[in-house]
Each structure stands twice: as C-alpha cells, then as structure tokens.
Amino acid sequence: MRAGVGFNNSHYTNLASPTQSRADENSLYYVAADRQLWQSHVHDAASRGIYGGFSVMGAPPDLNKVSQYYEVRLYAKGLFDSRPSDQISLVATDTVWSRFAVDAAAAKGNLVHRDAKAISGTYTAHLGPGIYASLGLTYIDHPTSITYTPQIGHALNFSASTSIFF
C-alpha cells in the first residue's frame, strides 16, 4: 500500500472563477494498494501468481481539469510454466473531469461528458534479458477530454510495443 500528497506553487487558472487572479498553489493526493492473491510456485518463484490492486487519485476541481481518477487492476505473472516471466493484465479506469471545467464547456454550447471510462487487457512477453514485447487492446467510452462531437462515442485501440532495458 502506498499513499502520497503533492504540492505545487506555480500559478494556476482558477476554473471556478477564470477571470479572477490565478491561484498560487495546487495539490493532489493518491492512495494505491496491490496484493498477491495467489501464488503458483510458492517455493521456487514466489512472484509468480495473480495480483489485484486499486488506485484512487484526486486534485482540487477548481484548479485541475482532471479532478479524480480511479483504477482497478488484476494482473498475473508467470501463469504458464513455459513462460514464467510473462505478464497478463486487465485494468479498468475512470477519469473524472472537473465540474467547473465541464460546466464552463457546457455554457459555451459544447457537448460534454463528465468522465471517461476504459478497460484494457495486455499481454507482455519476456523475450530475453531486458527485452519485452507487449500487445494490448483498450476500449474507451468517451475517448476525448471534456467536449466531444456526436461522431465521437467510443474507441477501440490496439497497441504493440517493444521495450529494451540495458
């Protein structure tokens, strides 16, 4: 489990009163936890198994367009004996926009939504020392930030990547 708070004293536009002088401080907070739910090889490779976790993040809605973020995740390492270093993940998220930013965009006549939800699945293969390849599929409801057009509703994204660590 981990938690934290951040502060920033840069000048920020106050979304609740954008014509007023800028705010001089901003903050954020987060709480996250992960736990191994099941071990597949207790004695020789304790990290292999299934994990679950969550994250909750927040920031003042009068200073930040993203005011809340929620994530739930389920992931596994080494489920297959033939691939003991591979990982699989399933992650669901909800990004909540600032009510002040949403209301300001709606007042201008824009179509708005208050959040964006997503669910993704990823398989990461360990190809060699420091070399990984990932394939993922993500479905996003409301893939834009706050405003959208009637043609934009959902997105289905495929991703492929290679990472090399040295």
Side-chain angles (χ1 to χ4, degrees):
M1 182 166 195
R2 51 221 175 268
V5 177
F7 296 99
N8 188 332
N9 61 1
S10 300
H11 295 297
Y12 288 86
T13 300
N14 187 326
L15 299 173
S17 303
T19 59
Q20 305 236 343
S21 63
R22 293 176 169 234
D24 288 333
E25 57 186 55
N26 198 351
S27 61
L28 66 95
Y29 62 87
Y30 69 91
V31 174
D34 290 271
R35 179 167 177 86
Q36 188 173 34
L37 306 172
W38 176 73
Q39 284 182 323
S40 61
H41 291 75
V42 176
H43 299 293
D44 61 340
S47 66
R48 289 180 63 187
I50 298 174
Y51 297 78
F54 72 90
S55 297
V56 176
M57 301 177 195
D62 59 332
L63 300 176
N64 301 279
K65 288 188 179 179
V66 175
S67 63
Q68 299 168 41
Y69 175 81
Y70 303 95
E71 180 178 296
V72 172
R73 55 194 166 269
L74 186 64
Y75 53 102
K77 179 180 179 188
L79 283 185
F80 310 113
D81 286 337
S82 62
R83 307 288 310 165
S85 298
D86 289 7
Q87 298 180 29
I88 301 170
S89 68
L90 182 63
V91 179
T93 64
D94 187 16
T95 302
V96 180
W97 311 116
S98 159
R99 67 182 184 274
F100 298 111
V102 171
D103 292 347
K108 292 178 182 176
N110 293 311
L111 295 173
V112 298
H113 50 260
R114 301 205 174 268
D115 69 341
K117 292 177 175 59
I119 187 162
S120 65
T122 305
Y123 185 87
T124 301
H126 183 201
L127 302 178
I131 303 171
Y132 298 85
S134 295
L135 295 175
L137 194 62
T138 302
Y139 169 81
I140 307 166
D141 184 33
H142 302 302
T144 62
S145 60
I146 295 168
T147 62
Y148 67 97
T149 63
Q151 297 83 9
I152 300 174
H154 315 287
L156 185 61
N157 295 332
F158 171 77
S159 63
S161 66
T162 302
S163 300
I164 300 172
F165 301 95
F166 52 92

